[in-house]
Amino acid sequence: MKKTILLSFAFICFTNLTVFAQQTTEYVWWNPAQSMFPVIEGQGWSGQSIQKPYDRLPAQAEKSVRKEVWSLSHNAAGLLIRFRASTDQVVVRYTVSGKQTALPHMPATGVSGVDLYAVNSDGNQLWCAGKYTFGDTIQYRFTGLEPNDPYHQKGREYRLYLPLYNSVSWLEIGVPQGVTFTPLAVRNDKPIVIYGTSIAQGACASRPGMAWTAILGRKLDRPIINLGFSGNGRLEKEVVDLLPDIDAKLYVLDCLPNLVATVGIKPDEIKSRIIESVKMLRQRKPLTPILLVEHAGYTEGSLNPTRRQLYTEVNELMQQAFAQLKSEGVQKLYLLPKSAINLSNDAMVDGTHPTDLGMQQYADAYERSIRPILNEPVGEISTMKPITQYRDARNYDWETRHNDILARLKTKPPRILFFGNSITHFWGGEPKSTPANGVDSWNASMEPLGVQNMGYGWDRIENVLWRVYHGELDGYSPAQIVLMIGTNNLQYNTDSEISEGLGFLVRAMQARQPNAAILMIGILPRRQMEARIAALNQRIAQVAGEVNATFIQPGTVFLKPDGKIDESFFSDGLHPNAEGYRQFAAKLVPYLKAPEPAPKARK
């Protein structure tokens, strides 16, 4: 869900927006806490279940958790706000309830600052530099932004990360009057929930976007719920009891830095807390993966035996607890050991808390561990790296279509899925699209077979991979998956990168739907690229054999005897017209799985 606000004089009276003049620019302001739909991402609880808009624990927790944990839960660590705007500047003003000053080992920009990232039309995440002033009201100004990407004039997405070690009392985002501003709802993806210590909360990142949890969220492109409590992440029952309230993709327990001997908790109790925490989660969430994390160590540990003993002892307890849990049959339980985190000598500010370099190393280690758990591998080439896109803002909204299709898959599970780009998207079917150039042939040939249109205009192979990783093949059992993708990669990738990317994508599909037959369709011929596509399709046919998929080339119906396309079947040399879709359907339908005949009634 999203709500678009045209920032013009007509909207000065709009609730939650106020205008003020600064220099020669008038700004319109939006307060996320007063939004009509959820926009503050990174909260496991929201709305009436929390006391204050930017809290990280529900109001009920005040009666159960220790006061130190409750106080830290007001810090905005891990929270972010998404919006879309076509603007050359963004201004953020806000107040915090705590001191704005730096900690002895952490700058004020990390403690109390905000951080802005842009997501361009190709899905790449880019950092925005801001000028800031601290005072009763803190202000960040992000100026000199290129308002639009080359594809259209509808702007791009922005993600604003909130302070790591301070509590936001009030916040507004401003853009110049007259531009289009679109608040974006909290993403539908199940979040990764992280229960940890000051390191998880964000100490000692130079800015909020450099906390390892934030970096990990960008790497996996998933919501992260940061339940790091500085000095107070101790695997306490009262906190662990709250975690199953969140329908998580993965639970991460990274509390050993606050359970070393100097805290005063006995070894048997530490081991018991690890075991009981896992069992409590598993009881209420029997299928959700759980990742236990060892203490990453201290950078001076190799020279300081006393410090080395602290993390060595708790890591041994973790290993014992993990082995016991696995021997008792606990499934989907994983361990991230210290050796896999492998922090370098320069990774910490004070031997305990990471620098930005250390945060990056933490995030890298987590990504290496989590991708196999979620079965979301990435490759070295662009066609093997899942990513979103926002290239066609004129005809549809990519994120909205993804959410609409997810909802449709839940209510009307299809027999056959047809993944593709605009050639598929603008053929026909539901959700309805504009334009739709072949509705009659879709209704006549695809609809009776129970085909779900999974095409997205402007999609490339890597965009379909993202969609596969983010739920479009989960929760139902189709008989067949049809895949026709790659024409939008021709300008950016070699034939080898395209064919290898298709193989990578098909394996990801098979991992989620092992019983579905895969039908790979060769890239359709297009104007002035006929020869290259013909050669590329030979490569794709070989890949289909390697992944045990069926390969067909119905697109040959569009070719004349000289190998050039027949323009009478196209609207623009790429997209079929109504007659082209009819011809294509006639070639395709024989390869689509027909419904199983209904069993005959016994006489």
Side-chain angles (χ1 to χ4, degrees):
M1 178 181 181
K2 72 178 193 301
K3 182 175 180 181
T4 302
I5 304 171
L6 180 63
L7 301 180
S8 63
F9 283 105
F11 283 84
I12 295 176
C13 61
F14 186 84
T15 305
N16 310 333
L17 299 178
T18 58
V19 181
F20 89 113
Q22 178 171 332
Q23 299 176 353
T24 59
T25 303
E26 289 192 346
Y27 294 88
V28 178
W29 297 91
W30 171 63
N31 186 331
Q34 297 175 354
S35 173
M36 298 174 64
F37 53 90
V39 295
I40 303 171
E41 188 168 287
Q43 291 178 308
W45 303 265
S46 60
Q48 295 182 349
S49 65
I50 58 175
Q51 279 188 4
K52 301 175 182 178
Y54 299 99
D55 278 1
R56 294 185 291 146
L57 287 181
Q60 68 186 50
E62 184 177 13
K63 299 178 181 179
S64 58
V65 302
R66 288 184 297 109
K67 64 179 182 179
E68 292 84 359
V69 174
W70 177 246
S71 177
L72 288 163
S73 74
H74 300 310
N75 292 170
L79 304 188
L80 67 84
I81 297 162
R82 301 189 310 135
F83 58 91
R84 190 176 291 146
S86 174
T87 179
D88 64 351
Q89 57 187 288
V90 175
V91 182
V92 183
R93 61 184 185 184
Y94 59 101
T95 60
V96 294
S97 60
K99 295 181 179 180
Q100 302 172 17
T101 54
L103 299 175
H105 56 346
M106 184 174 179
T109 49
V111 173
S112 302
V114 296
D115 210 358
L116 188 67
Y117 281 74
V119 182
N120 69 11
S121 292
D122 287 324
N124 300 308
Q125 301 185 49
L126 311 170
W127 180 66
C128 305
K131 302 294 183 182
Y132 49 86
T133 56
F134 286 85
D136 291 340
T137 297
I138 303 173
Q139 180 172 277
Y140 271 70
R141 298 179 60 83
F142 303 91
T143 60
L145 305 173
E146 191 170 27
N148 299 290
D149 296 324
Y151 296 95
H152 52 73
Q153 300 298 305
K154 297 295 182 68
R156 65 178 65 82
E157 179 184 335
Y158 291 90
R159 298 178 183 180
L160 181 71
Y161 293 86
L162 302 189
L164 296 170
Y165 264 72
N166 218 323
S167 305
V168 175
S169 302
W170 166 88
L171 180 145
E172 286 185 334
I173 299 170
V175 294
Q177 190 173 38
V179 305
T180 301
F181 180 92
T182 306
L184 295 177
V186 170
R187 288 174 286 178
N188 286 336
D189 283 321
K190 290 184 178 182
I192 294 174
V193 177
I194 299 169
Y195 176 26
T197 67
S198 58
I199 299 169
Q201 183 169 341
C204 290
S206 62
R207 46 187 175 84
M210 286 307 299
W212 71 258
T213 49
I215 299 171
L216 180 65
R218 292 195 295 275
K219 283 174 167 288
L220 299 177
D221 203 10
R222 288 192 175 277
I224 301 289
I225 293 181
N226 185 331
L227 296 179
F229 303 109
S230 184
N232 290 276
R234 300 180 183 178
L235 290 180
E236 292 168 305
K237 178 181 182 299
E238 294 78 8
V239 177
V240 177
D241 271 341
L242 297 169
L243 303 187
D245 292 350
I246 308 167
D247 187 15
K249 188 74 173 179
L250 169 71
Y251 295 107
V252 177
L253 303 180
D254 187 357
C255 291
L256 291 195
N258 285 165
L259 290 171
V260 293
T262 53
V263 177
I265 300 174
K266 294 182 179 180
D268 288 347
E269 173 65 16
I270 295 171
K271 182 178 177 181
S272 176
R273 289 191 186 191
I274 297 169
I275 292 171
E276 292 307 313
S277 295
V278 170
K279 289 184 176 180
M280 288 165 60
L281 284 174
R282 187 51 74 236
Q283 182 177 9
R284 289 178 56 188
K285 294 292 183 179
L287 301 178
T288 306
I290 301 170
L291 177 62
L292 299 176
V293 185
E294 288 187 2
H295 194 310
Y298 306 120
T299 45
E300 84 279 24
S302 58
L303 293 174
N304 187 324
T306 301
R307 291 269 281 172
R308 183 168 63 248
Q309 184 178 0
L310 291 176
Y311 63 76
T312 300
E313 288 177 347
V314 290
N315 284 345
E316 288 176 352
L317 293 171
M318 174 65 82
Q319 292 160 14
Q320 293 169 16
F322 181 77
Q324 178 177 329
L325 288 162
K326 296 298 286 186
S327 68
E328 294 175 0
V330 177
Q331 300 298 310
K332 293 190 175 182
L333 178 66
Y334 305 89
L335 178 66
L336 176 56
K338 174 184 178 296
S339 59
I341 301 173
N342 194 29
L343 297 179
S344 66
N345 281 335
D346 300 325
M348 291 183 177
V349 174
D350 53 3
T352 301
H353 299 94
T355 60
D356 286 355
L357 172 63
M359 290 292 186
Q360 185 68 59
Q361 292 175 359
Y362 260 103
D364 290 344
Y366 266 97
E367 182 187 19
R368 289 192 298 268
S369 178
I370 290 174
R371 284 201 175 277
I373 295 172
L374 302 184
N375 197 8
E376 296 180 2
V378 295
E380 293 299 320
I381 58 179
S382 64
T383 53
M384 298 179 181
K385 296 178 180 179
I387 198 167
T388 61
Q389 59 104 340
Y390 182 59
R391 303 183 186 105
D392 186 2
R394 294 165 295 182
N395 296 311
Y396 81 108
D397 184 280
W398 196 89
E399 183 174 329
T400 299
R401 181 167 175 81
H402 172 64
N403 290 333
D404 289 347
I405 281 181
L406 288 179
R408 184 174 176 82
L409 293 172
K410 288 181 179 180
T411 58
K412 297 182 178 180
R415 290 187 59 257
I416 301 173
L417 304 166
F418 194 158
F419 283 89
N421 46 49
S422 57
I423 297 172
T424 304
H425 183 178
F426 300 138
W427 186 354
E430 298 286 345
K432 291 183 179 179
S433 66
T434 302
N437 299 324
V439 173
D440 290 346
S441 58
W442 181 278
N443 290 343
S445 56
M446 301 292 108
E447 197 71 29
L449 294 174
V451 181
Q452 170 63 52
N453 190 323
M454 305 286 283
Y456 289 46
W458 275 99
D459 254 15
R460 300 175 191 159
I461 295 167
E462 55 268 31
N463 305 131
V464 178
L465 183 64
W466 187 97
R467 296 197 274 129
V468 168
Y469 284 178
H470 290 257
E472 291 192 6
L473 285 179
D474 298 341
Y476 60 102
S477 299
Q480 187 177 34
I481 299 171
V482 180
L483 178 64
M484 186 174 71
I485 194 73
T487 196
N488 291 324
N489 291 90
L490 290 170
Q491 184 179 348
Y492 306 97
N493 297 103
T494 66
D495 290 2
S496 176
E497 290 171 340
I498 292 171
S499 59
E500 290 177 20
L502 284 169
F504 195 86
L505 173 58
V506 169
R507 291 185 183 94
M509 291 177 163
Q510 291 170 329
R512 286 155 178 79
Q513 293 290 346
N515 297 321
I518 305 290
L519 176 64
M520 297 179 69
I521 301 177
I523 296 175
L524 298 190
R526 55 189 292 181
R527 183 188 298 150
Q528 298 180 349
M529 302 190 76
E530 295 93 339
R532 180 185 175 188
I533 290 172
L536 174 56
N537 280 339
Q538 293 180 13
R539 282 177 171 261
I540 296 174
Q542 294 174 7
V543 169
E546 294 168 1
V547 297
N548 195 29
T550 301
F551 176 77
I552 61 172
Q553 294 194 74
T556 55
V557 73
F558 299 134
L559 294 174
K560 297 188 296 185
D562 63 359
K564 300 297 183 181
I565 65 167
D566 186 337
E567 296 280 356
S568 67
F569 292 136
F570 291 88
S571 60
D572 55 4
L574 170 63
H575 297 89
N577 55 25
E579 180 59 28
Y581 279 119
R582 279 191 287 271
Q583 296 289 335
F584 180 74
K587 292 285 188 179
L588 173 61
V589 166
Y591 295 92
L592 300 182
K593 281 187 172 291
E596 295 288 338
K600 294 182 179 180
R602 294 183 179 180
K603 294 183 180 181

